[in-house]
Amino acid sequence: MTRRLIILCISIIAFSILIYLALIKFCLIDKFAFLSPIDYYGDIPIRRDDYGNGEFGAKRSGRRKHLGIDILAEIGMPVRAVKLGIVINATTDRGFGKYVEIRHGLKLVTIYAHLSKINVSKGEHVCQGQIIGEVGKTGNARNRLILPHLHFEARKKGLAQDPLNYLNLSRSKNKFKLLESIFPNNKE
């Protein structure tokens, strides 16, 4: 009886691992390149208005620096996960407003802030290109004179990185067509 139970447990574990690997393989569109979090086919437009420059490292009040990039976008535009990962936060913050934080492996985390809507939950596994929310004007972006945008950050081992170094925009155009076929009704 004990031997049968052990064999059954090993079989269940092996089957579970195979299913998990198959799901991960389905989710991986590109193991190395990032997608743009917003569906642009050319250069990403960075926010520049009377309230600041949305480039990485731009000066902020109180000797602070901007730790991400602000990508101009219309309110309600879908926001996509740039890579496969696990949602570690999907909540509201005073500065970020509604935001999603995704861990990609052990060292890299991306943050998507000022959302009008969050489509994922903490602990959820997301695929590269999956819609995780919609562009909004929440948190520090509520001022009517600040242009609508997605605040996007990449942090490696907790340190802010320039997200433009990770985005591979030249290869994104064909991926959006593929994403539309994989996630056709992903606007819940």
Side-chain angles (χ1 to χ4, degrees), residues 13-163:
I13 291 169
F15 183 72
S16 298
I17 290 170
L18 288 173
I19 297 277
Y20 179 74
L21 291 174
L23 288 173
I24 287 176
K25 184 173 173 60
F26 174 74
C27 287
L28 290 176
I29 293 168
D30 189 321
K31 295 178 183 178
F32 305 106
F34 278 54
L35 288 177
S36 170
I38 303 290
D39 294 352
Y40 286 112
Y41 299 130
D43 293 336
I44 289 183
I46 303 295
R47 179 184 70 90
R48 288 179 186 83
D49 56 31
D50 293 339
Y51 279 83
N53 177 338
E55 293 177 357
F56 179 78
K59 292 181 181 179
R60 294 290 188 256
S61 63
R63 303 179 105 192
R64 296 178 304 129
K65 289 193 176 193
H66 194 233
L67 300 179
I69 57 173
D70 292 343
I71 303 170
L72 282 175
E74 294 178 26
I75 293 174
M77 229 176 144
V79 176
R80 298 183 184 274
V82 295
K83 286 193 78 61
L84 171 82
I86 298 173
V87 177
I88 56 176
N89 274 313
T91 188
T92 302
D93 175 83
R94 185 172 167 235
F96 280 161
K98 292 181 182 178
Y99 76 100
V100 172
E101 193 171 358
I102 300 174
R103 179 182 320 278
H104 311 279
L106 298 174
K107 300 177 183 178
L108 187 68
V109 170
T110 53
I111 299 170
Y112 311 77
H114 306 316
L115 304 174
S116 62
K117 183 178 179 184
I118 295 174
N119 294 11
V120 293
S121 303
K122 184 176 180 176
E124 185 175 336
H125 290 262
V126 293
C127 295
Q128 184 181 35
Q130 181 178 335
I131 295 172
I132 58 169
E134 295 177 5
V135 173
K137 282 183 57 101
T138 59
N140 291 342
R142 287 179 304 198
N143 186 305
R144 66 181 178 82
L145 299 177
I146 294 177
L147 297 171
H149 64 278
L150 170 71
H151 175 80
F152 177 64
E153 290 186 18
R155 296 181 184 177
K156 188 173 184 179
K157 296 182 182 177
L159 299 174
Q161 308 289 310
D162 185 347

